[in-house]
Amino acid sequence: ACECSGARHCAPTHRRAMSLTFYFAPNSTASTVHWTLEELGIPYETVRVDLQNEADKKAKLGSVNPNLLVPAVVHEGVAIFESAAIQIYLGETFGVERGLYPAPGPARGEALKWLVWCNVHLAEATSRWQRNTRAQIPVEERSAAAAAVARKDIDKRLAIFEGALADRPYALGSKPSIVDFHLGAAIGWMAFSGVAMEAFPHARAWLERLQSRPAFAKLRSA
Ligand SMILES: N[C@@H](CCC(=O)N[C@@H](CS)C(=O)NCC(=O)O)C(=O)O
């Protein structure tokens, strides 16, 4: 908690970080943002949402994310949802000065490329795969053929990221960034869910490097 008694006496970065609330559930898309918050080392409060409980979702997320999905953050009274948007916002607001997000310019463009690609392309295939395989989905809404196509799409898309890691240890080059935390949480979850990484040795080694970071241990225990 902030020990400053009045906002006028806080340093600007401290003041900005004071009112950051993070809405999450463990082992969900929220892990992307959780990882970034831990790496940034800024203070934040958490609201844990029970995704199996409709009343809990409505009570906690109703005024924050009308989609009733995690992650969401509220920063200085402003609600932001969609994990890629939150990562971009945290990167711009806190990441540049901490060396975890590129300043405006071509490297920023590269960061945006991978953050958006992860959600629009890679996570799209993952959610299609889940929709057609998960036991919680009514059997008449699932298709084995659609699941097989989705599973192939996951591998095709992982191969694209594998190619990007051929000449660099991290997504943007020699240093880890918010892009790695975002993709690391997403691909780590895929690996945990049974997507074999053997065909993607660069991505597998990258994931091991990322998962040995203390921030990852923190979000695992949340
Ligand atoms: N495109 C969204 C997806 C968020 C999302 O699907 N969150 C899931 C958890 S992985 C959720 O909150 N599900 C709650 C529900 O379906 O009721 C993002 O990237 O933030």
Side-chain angles (χ1 to χ4, degrees), residues 28-30 51 54 57 68-71 81-84 119:
S28 75
T29 308
L51 298 184
E54 290 301 316
K57 281 199 293 191
L68 301 184
L69 300 172
V70 293
F81 52 78
E82 281 301 320
S83 59
N119 282 29

Side-chain angles (χ1 to χ4, degrees), residues 102-201:
R108 170 75 64 88
E110 216 179 11
L112 293 170
K113 170 180 81 177
W114 285 120
L115 288 170
V116 173
W117 176 83
C118 180
N119 282 29
V120 172
H121 220 49
L122 186 63
E124 184 278 325
T126 317
S127 78
R128 199 156 24 92
W129 182 52
Q130 277 198 295
R131 273 207 311 278
N132 285 288
T133 51
R134 285 176 69 203
Q136 295 96 315
I137 308 286
V139 70
E140 64 276 13
E141 291 177 20
R142 281 187 259 143
S143 149
V149 173
R151 185 61 192 78
K152 276 195 191 138
D153 285 344
I154 290 175
D155 277 356
K156 276 191 215 158
R157 293 168 194 189
L158 278 176
I160 290 167
F161 189 57
E162 171 73 9
L165 289 174
D167 66 348
R168 47 182 65 190
Y170 295 103
L172 301 185
S174 58
K175 287 191 311 177
S177 71
I178 287 173
V179 174
D180 297 290
F181 312 143
H182 189 77
L183 277 156
I187 296 177
W189 186 87
M190 289 161 71
F192 177 78
S193 304
V195 172
M197 296 298 292
E198 277 70 23
F200 313 108

